[in-house]
Amino acid sequence: ENPATMSKIDADLMTDAISKILAYSEGKEIKIGKDAVKGKKRPFQETIELQITLKNYDPTKDKRFAGTVQLPHGPIRNLKLCVLATAEHAKDVAGLKDPRVEARTVEELKKLNKNKKLVKKMAKKYHAFLASQSIIKLIPRLLGPGLNRAGKFPTPIAATDSVSSMVEEVQRTVKFQMKKVVCLNTPVANVSMNVDQVRANIVASVNLLVSMLKKKWQNVKTVYIKS
């Protein structure tokens, strides 16, 4: 493994943990210590989450941080997305025929009348937002600070960008944001991926987080993956 892209987590230990999660999700029997545990196949696609606990880090004193990274493999999970769209981009969204992706035009946004409750309700309905470049600058006037406060300010779509490729980018982007706790978690993969894909996504996610920590790996206490 290229050391520039490999985290300090034991590669064999990580591969074993991922293999067990994937086998369990298929209903296969796995070994946990000396015990054999029968897996359970769920009727939906399970997400694999990364949970990291920090040490020697005081969120009340140390600098808070936020960062995003596009993972090598996606989509991570079935995200419900909203595109604040020009007429052209609204047509592109309709052409996707994807029930998880909806478009809202400027006229529809005007009807919200900057009502805080309605904007908050819209922010909660979607995991993330994208917006046509020409609409980005109108958002504060149309919606107020609601999306920004929810941590969901839209990803811009340039006139030359493909809506489908931008949607795909958002669906494989993860975000770490340091708030008031020292335990951080984020979805990084799903059980339909293979071991190498899950591992590559975990390494990219961990390396992003470590790059933002004051003492790098010395600030990492534990790393868990779970489904």
Side-chain angles (χ1 to χ4, degrees):
E1 184 76 46
N2 182 339
T5 57
M6 182 57 201
S7 63
K8 288 190 179 182
I9 301 166
D10 183 279
D12 292 337
L13 189 66
M14 192 196 311
T15 299
D16 182 58
I18 296 166
S19 299
K20 284 178 178 174
I21 285 176
L22 297 182
Y24 186 90
S25 73
E26 291 174 3
K28 296 176 182 175
E29 189 175 271
I30 62 169
K31 274 214 161 188
I32 299 177
K34 293 179 181 178
D35 300 323
V37 180
K38 177 77 170 125
K40 189 172 183 180
K41 195 172 176 70
R42 308 279 182 182
F44 55 88
Q45 187 183 78
E46 288 184 86
T47 300
I48 297 173
E49 280 195 359
L50 180 68
Q51 295 181 335
I52 299 178
T53 305
L54 305 182
K55 64 181 179 180
N56 305 323
Y57 207 97
D58 185 346
T60 60
K61 295 178 184 174
D62 292 321
K63 187 181 175 184
R64 294 187 189 183
F65 55 78
T68 60
V69 64
Q70 280 178 33
L71 301 182
H73 306 285
I76 304 162
R77 55 182 174 157
N78 292 324
L79 297 179
K80 195 163 179 63
L81 304 178
C82 181
V83 181
L84 310 180
T86 58
E88 193 61 38
H89 281 155
K91 281 182 193 173
D92 292 343
V93 171
L96 295 177
K97 293 183 170 61
D98 186 338
R100 300 168 302 172
V101 186
E102 298 177 357
R104 295 215 181 184
T105 63
V106 170
E107 292 308 311
E108 289 174 283
L109 298 179
K110 282 179 180 174
K111 288 175 186 174
L112 297 176
N113 205 25
K114 281 173 80 168
N115 182 300
K116 287 181 183 178
K117 283 187 178 178
L118 294 177
V119 174
K120 191 175 181 180
K121 187 178 177 183
M122 183 177 79
K124 284 182 77 173
K125 183 180 177 182
Y126 303 100
H127 289 99
F129 289 80
L130 299 93
S132 305
Q133 187 76 55
S134 59
I135 291 176
I136 288 279
K137 60 179 178 286
L138 303 177
I139 289 171
R141 186 156 55 86
L142 291 168
L143 302 175
L147 293 186
N148 214 14
R149 283 181 181 161
K152 294 182 180 180
F153 196 79
T155 300
I157 307 174
T160 52
D161 286 338
S162 152
V163 170
S164 62
S165 65
M166 290 300 295
V167 164
E168 196 267 335
E169 273 185 25
V170 169
Q171 286 176 329
R172 59 185 175 90
T173 297
V174 297
K175 179 178 183 179
F176 282 107
Q177 188 164 8
M178 185 67 185
K179 292 186 177 176
K180 296 177 182 177
V181 292
V182 291
C183 186
L184 302 163
N185 61 73
T186 185
V188 291
N190 64 65
V191 297
S192 72
M193 295 179 181
N194 63 39
V195 172
D196 290 340
Q197 290 172 327
V198 176
R199 186 163 171 265
N201 279 7
I202 290 172
V203 169
S205 302
V206 171
N207 284 345
L208 165 73
L209 176 61
V210 170
S211 73
M212 295 188 291
L213 297 173
K214 188 167 67 175
K215 295 182 179 178
K216 308 306 180 197
W217 280 97
Q218 290 175 40
N219 287 129
V220 178
K221 183 179 181 181
T222 57
V223 178
Y224 291 105
I225 53 171
K226 65 183 277 289
S227 65

